[in-house]
Amino acid sequence: GASRCTEVCTREKTSSVKLDSCANAQCIRTSAMLRGGYSPHLSPSQLSANAKTPMQFEHDERAQAPDKRRLPWFRAEPFGAWVRFDDRTLAAVDHGLAERLGIPSINTSPPRCASGPLEAHLSVTARCFAPCTDCYLDAKPDGFMPSHDELRRRVSALRDLGVSTVAFGGGEPLLRDDLGKLAAFARSLGLVPVMTTSGFGLSDARVDELRAFAQINVSHDGVGGAYADVRGFDGSRAADRAMELLSRAG
């Protein structure tokens, strides 16, 4: 039964694969605790029975201590909550399971929709040297480059809105030499940083600098001339090499 499964999973500290296969709330909680990680959480003082705005998140430094680990991230919602168990697993749970996971509830009548976006895209530069013919940002070699401090403020603002994932884009993000630091900062706030790049300028050294990213996407429009047909120039070789570097680095 569920109670026996809870005892076995908790006592034997079985693998996350087994824990993930169990729907018991305590197993889900144990799985998150065994993983550890960053743990933004809702402060009780920020909650009320008739809250009408997205809750602000705080980062609890104590959460990384072995005996203080919590769910990596959650956001209370009128329907229950969004819960993130790791970089790849985001789930919507109802009030019953949210309560069993220790997530304070937001009571609204009638129930409202989700309080805000789960993922936000952040343009870290309007600078790019690729001559794409249909760039949605109209990026240029001398495009605007926001300061490091400004981008930190924007990332913090997204965290305060309850965002879970922040997607860094451009322009060409690799033109920033502080990209790894920005990703690490996002991590420190409990966000999951991802990035999209053309691959131009990627090297083994840059790959190592970017390990704070949960995912790096390489834009590639196809083989057999498809890349050039879409973008007006052929950058497929650079994209292929970038994917090879990322794959090799794991």
Side-chain angles (χ1 to χ4, degrees):
S3 61
R4 181 179 181 278
C5 177
T6 300
E7 295 172 1
V8 172
C9 291
T10 305
R11 182 177 68 251
E12 297 182 0
K13 290 184 171 55
T14 51
S15 70
S16 59
V17 174
K18 179 176 179 180
L19 290 170
D20 286 345
S21 67
C22 177
N24 182 270
Q26 181 60 37
C27 291
I28 296 175
R29 185 198 292 270
T30 302
S31 176
M33 290 175 67
L34 291 177
R35 285 193 183 96
Y38 297 101
S39 305
H41 67 288
L42 290 171
S43 168
S45 64
Q46 295 172 305
L47 295 169
S48 62
N50 57 358
K52 298 184 182 299
T53 57
M55 296 298 102
Q56 302 291 311
F57 290 85
E58 294 179 0
H59 179 62
D60 186 351
E61 298 296 341
R62 298 173 303 169
Q64 296 189 54
D67 60 342
K68 294 288 187 179
R69 288 174 179 167
R70 309 181 186 184
L71 291 167
W73 179 92
F74 65 80
R75 189 176 80 190
E77 295 284 0
F79 59 77
W82 288 105
V83 179
R84 192 178 76 223
F85 302 113
D86 55 31
D87 285 353
R88 297 172 295 176
T89 309
L90 185 67
V93 301
D94 61 17
H95 283 290
L97 183 51
E99 183 178 356
R100 292 163 68 188
L101 290 169
I103 301 173
S105 63
I106 299 177
N107 296 319
T108 59
S109 182
R112 299 183 298 110
C113 60
S115 60
L118 293 171
E119 177 173 327
H121 289 243
L122 178 63
S123 176
V124 297
T125 181
R127 190 171 299 175
C128 184
F129 291 97
C132 300
T133 55
D134 58 352
C135 177
Y136 69 93
L137 192 66
D138 194 26
K140 299 178 174 63
D142 59 350
F144 178 65
M145 184 83 75
S147 70
H148 181 83
D149 289 343
E150 173 60 28
L151 290 176
R152 283 172 64 101
R153 286 192 290 270
R154 295 179 187 179
V155 171
S156 295
L158 292 174
R159 184 277 311 270
D160 292 342
L161 290 172
V163 167
S164 173
T165 300
V166 57
F168 291 81
E172 175 49 63
L174 289 177
L175 292 177
R176 297 194 66 99
D177 57 11
D178 59 354
L179 196 57
K181 293 179 180 178
L182 289 170
F185 176 69
R187 284 279 188 191
S188 75
L189 299 181
L191 298 172
V192 176
V194 300
M195 181 184 73
T196 298
T197 174
S198 66
F200 284 93
L202 196 64
S203 63
D204 284 316
R206 288 306 306 272
V207 169
D208 193 55
E209 293 173 5
L210 303 176
R211 289 192 176 275
F213 283 99
Q215 178 177 304
I216 296 178
N217 307 301
V218 178
S219 298
H220 198 313
D221 300 292
V223 298
Y227 191 111
D229 290 342
V230 172
R231 295 180 180 263
F233 78 104
D234 190 2
S236 59
R237 190 170 295 181
D240 288 338
R241 182 173 182 275
M243 289 188 288
E244 181 182 346
L245 290 173
L246 292 167
S247 178
R248 191 165 64 223

